[in-house]
Amino acid sequence: MVSRATAAVLLILALTGCSALGADRTGIVVTTNILGDVTRAIAGTESPVTVLMKPGADPHSFGVSAQDAARMENAALLIHNGLGLEEGVARNVETARSSGVPTLDVGAGIGPLAYKSGENAQRPDPHFWTDPARMLKAVDLITSRIIEHLPDADAAKIRANAAAYRAQIADLDRWMTARFAALPADRRNLVTNHHVFGYLAERFGFTVIGAVIPSGTTLASPSGADLKSLADAVRRAGVPTVFADSSQPDRLIRVMAAEAGLRIRVASLYSESLTAADGGAPTYLRMMRANTDAIVAGLTQERER
């Protein structure tokens, strides 16, 4: 049996441990590598930033190790995309929040759009980063939370970093607007491997004809009827190029084209994940520029006969 004195000591140790856990929270943990890149630009040298999602990973399906889960539960601030994107780590985010970790659901704060079609119609679309104007809002949200929850960080430096990064995103937005302005109205039809460019389409005046996987997640599967319907839409719209995420196989796109007798190009975009440093999209800014060039090049091609 445990004596009253021993029990009292154990209780004090438990309470002290819980208190210390909150006091010892340190650093910023970010779920996705796109938001991780943005957060690092804002935090600079004022706080370590741990990014859980590896380069080239799928945000819908990546998971975390026990060590990563512990980092989440001991972070001074946990930043996640939200809106259902990180399906594989949603439980870990909720566990960290329940244990008292300050969290930022970025997607909820940027004025999310709803999917217009597919099995996720009317649900919030989590792919807001394809619109640089909304990423400016994300920068503001992240900046304010870092200053709020990391009191030892130099707030003036955080604000200066954020202002410099905002200027780069604003420049990106102007550049994308000019690049897309060269595309005529009949060349502004997008087909992708799944619904990921709704924000870009709304911001820059494109029409999303459809997606090979008629869903906002890569974890769904298209039916034969889905593929036939999309092939018919592609044929009617005269789309010369279908875009596939660089981290996802393009097999379904090629199956759709083959079964429908379509001769169509498939181009890769870095739509949901950054690459390693030696890849084509190691940062958010470079990813957006690479995708813009690829979209313009793909849609100015002549349709294969």
Side-chain angles (χ1 to χ4, degrees), residues 30-278:
V30 189
T31 55
T32 68
N33 53 42
I34 292 175
L35 287 181
D37 178 60
V38 174
T39 302
R40 281 175 171 153
I42 297 168
T45 59
E46 292 304 300
S47 173
V49 176
T50 299
V51 180
L52 301 179
M53 180 179 154
K54 304 299 186 233
D58 183 342
H60 299 282
S61 61
F62 85 99
V64 295
S65 66
Q67 186 178 33
D68 286 337
R71 288 193 181 100
M72 295 170 74
E73 293 179 35
N74 288 283
L77 176 62
L78 172 59
I79 298 172
H80 62 114
N81 188 94
L83 304 180
L85 181 77
E86 307 101 315
E87 298 169 68
V89 299
R91 177 178 57 83
N92 303 96
V93 171
E94 184 53 40
T95 297
R97 181 188 293 112
S98 298
S99 70
V101 176
T103 61
L104 172 59
D105 181 339
V106 179
I110 52 81
L113 298 175
Y115 288 112
K116 294 181 179 179
S117 61
E119 64 181 45
N120 295 118
Q122 304 309 310
R123 295 180 183 176
D125 182 347
H127 305 94
F128 59 84
W129 61 85
T130 63
D131 175 3
R134 278 187 165 81
M135 283 299 271
L136 290 173
K137 296 181 181 180
V139 169
D140 293 342
L141 289 170
I142 293 169
T143 301
S144 64
R145 290 300 181 88
I146 291 176
I147 292 172
E148 177 184 357
H149 294 293
L150 282 85
D152 292 336
D154 187 324
K157 288 184 179 179
I158 298 295
R159 292 190 181 96
N161 292 341
Y165 193 67
R166 282 184 111 269
Q168 293 183 71
I169 296 179
D171 182 64
L172 169 70
D173 189 39
R174 288 188 292 269
W175 178 83
M176 290 177 67
T177 300
R179 290 284 283 136
F180 288 142
L183 288 172
D186 63 350
R187 293 285 181 158
R188 290 173 168 269
N189 296 316
L190 286 174
V191 178
T192 56
N193 63 322
H194 76 289
H195 287 297
V196 69
F197 284 101
Y199 289 89
L200 181 143
E202 171 128 333
R203 175 72 179 80
F204 297 106
F206 286 85
T207 298
V208 178
I209 295 299
V212 177
I213 302 173
S215 173
T217 172
T218 56
L219 303 183
S221 299
S223 65
D226 290 331
L227 293 178
K228 182 180 184 306
S229 176
L230 179 59
D232 291 342
V234 169
R235 185 181 289 107
R236 288 193 301 270
V239 175
T241 303
V242 173
F243 299 99
D245 189 283
S246 62
S247 65
Q248 296 294 322
D250 62 7
R251 181 183 61 82
L252 286 174
I253 294 176
R254 299 191 183 281
V255 167
M256 174 202 73
E259 291 187 353
L262 288 173
R263 298 187 64 187
I264 197 165
R265 297 176 184 85
V266 179
S268 293
L269 298 179
Y270 304 105
S271 57
E272 292 194 298
S273 180
L274 302 183
T275 65
D278 59 352

